[in-house]
Amino acid sequence: MADSDTLILGARALHLADLRRVYAGPIRVRIDPTALGAVTRAHELIGRLAAADAPAYGINTGFGLLAQTRIPPAQRTLLQRNIILSHSAGVGPLLEDAIVRLTLVLKLASLVQGFSGISTELARFLERLINSGLYPCVPAQGSVGASGDLAPLAHLSLCVLGQGQIRRRGEVLPAAEVLAQEGITPPALGPKEGLALLNGTQVSTALALAGLFELETVFAGAVVSGALATDALKGSDAPFDPRIHHVRGHDGQARIAQVYRELLAGSQIRESHRACTRVQDPYSLRCQPQVMGACLDLISQQALTLATEANAVTDNPLVFPDTGEVISGGNFHAEPVAFAADVLALACAEIGSITERRLALLVDPKMSGLPAFLTPESGVNSGFMMAQVTAAALVAENRMLCHPASVDSIPTSANQEDHVSMATHGARRLLSMTGNALQVVAIELLAAAQGLDLLAPLKTSPRLQGAYGTLRRTVPFAPSDRLLALDIEAAAAAVRSAEVQALAHSVLPSYR
């Protein structure tokens, strides 16, 4: 990998585009030398405080409800070791490599800002894990989103003790074995270092960022499939007139209306029915800018929150070398992430909902003017009948999943941690929801392409013809019934393709 592709940590704030790269695949990182200086100053302060008599939380005291318990000097290394071991209580399936990689980068980016008190040796250890493609095995369940993501971050940190497991190129192996093979020696933990590793919102934030990036993919695909469906249904482009959206004033609505205008420009199908007698289209066609624009605004707002959190220092206590202070606070509380995840879930549910409604129009001959269920010989053929049922089932599932997680606080740690965010599972469900919504969009893309073929020889616009052609490279017209599951799988890949995404992703926050 060229040095220009290396992500420098500590020199500037991480951008959403940087984080999308981390999520997309293996990456090399390098800690900025200036940041290492800040790390050293904070670590030296921790050393002085550890040697002093005054109580300092997590340095010479216990944790949580045990914060009043003083730890003698001989047991302070054991204290840091024990917090990692005791907090490694996660359960459930392992987080995917992309999430773990994103978590590692976020954790290291936070620690090298110089407010956590870790050693440069620990920072370099995490840097080598990332650059070697070594991803600790982290169970997905067990965090309530305060005091940070304790259980998953503890599992992430087990390899510092030479314990736990690491996934390397897809193979799960004992951490000690992998580290030895790679020539990586874990550093001995000093005061506060175990606590600095465990405290923080990095798992919640990584999951929410992954949900954001996947939702952007769904959004762009839904705009394209929605435009194709509009043309296949002989919908009007008048509702996308810029004057309508100017007088309302919402930025997302105006931006996405422009995208629809550009996508539909030059369509032979549109020109064929300009003089038709239909006065208005159903809402799922006519109100696409209003619905998708509102979703775009929500996505953009939550992207700002998550970008801020990605650059935040969220462990506790925090170290301020300039004044020689260590201050306990609550930056580990992931409420901003929880709210962002809840709002993204609402947007995801709505994108799927309006997409399914257009699909329902396409298969209904009374609304579409096309053959029933988009099959030339209905009766002996069922066409897209069950595909629409599948889409309806996925939309219903997403409605259930979008219940807000942030309102479900449960006290923990003997009521010391008496209000928590539930950000972690609130963010984790986004990946299930975006997966469901992507399938709904894929089914609409299939149905819209089938509808276009049934309108031949008229053609859609040049831009939409490109999306149609991307699908048709792998999925031909269906003159009769066949195994639709395979078509849906291929259509989902088409939705993710660069050709389809490029038609609409310019309005999305991580591409701006």
Side-chain angles (χ1 to χ4, degrees), residues 154-280:
H155 283 276
L156 189 84
S157 306
L158 278 172
C159 60
V160 182
L161 306 179
Q163 298 202 31
Q165 295 178 310
I166 283 176
R167 193 157 46 201
R168 179 180 59 184
R169 295 186 291 276
E171 185 180 10
V172 174
L173 297 165
E177 177 183 325
V178 173
L179 294 174
Q181 291 172 355
E182 297 286 337
I184 301 174
T185 302
L189 288 176
K192 192 186 176 293
E193 289 191 306
L195 184 59
L197 288 168
L198 267 60
N199 244 188
T201 65
Q202 286 80 29
V203 174
S204 296
T205 306
L207 285 164
L209 283 167
L212 168 69
F213 300 145
E214 294 294 341
L215 184 55
E216 287 183 322
T217 297
V218 170
F219 181 94
V223 171
V224 174
S225 68
L228 279 165
T230 299
D231 223 15
L233 289 161
K234 294 189 175 180
S236 173
D237 57 359
F240 308 139
D241 188 301
R243 293 168 293 182
I244 295 173
H245 310 289
H246 175 74
V247 298
R248 196 174 197 190
H250 289 293
D251 180 66
Q253 178 178 324
R255 289 164 68 90
I256 209 63
Q258 180 180 347
V259 173
Y260 283 113
R261 291 195 303 275
E262 292 170 352
L263 288 176
L264 289 162
S267 166
Q268 294 177 5
I269 298 171
R270 176 63 186 111
E271 294 307 317
S272 73
H273 61 90
R274 283 204 180 271
C276 71
T277 57
R278 187 192 303 173
V279 178
Q280 290 185 329

Side-chain angles (χ1 to χ4, degrees), residues 50 55 85 149 170 192 210 244 256 261 289 325 345 350 371 377 441 499:
L85 292 173
D149 297 312
K192 192 186 176 293
I244 295 173
I256 209 63
R261 291 195 303 275
E325 294 176 280
E350 279 298 276
E377 296 183 28
V441 173
E499 296 94 331

Side-chain angles (χ1 to χ4, degrees), residues 229 232-233 358-364 368 370-371 373-374 444 447-448 451:
L233 289 161
R358 291 190 299 268
L359 175 61
L361 294 177
L362 283 164
V363 300
D364 184 347
S368 69
L370 298 168
F373 301 109
L374 300 172
E444 182 185 36

Side-chain angles (χ1 to χ4, degrees), residues 36-60:
L36 287 174
V39 168
T40 298
R41 288 190 296 275
H43 184 61
E44 290 172 347
L45 174 58
I46 290 296
R48 293 194 297 272
L49 292 173
D53 293 330
Y57 176 72
I59 300 170
N60 55 23

Side-chain angles (χ1 to χ4, degrees), residues 68 168 259 313 434 459 490:
Q68 306 306 317
R168 179 180 59 184
V259 173
V313 181
T434 53
K459 290 187 176 181

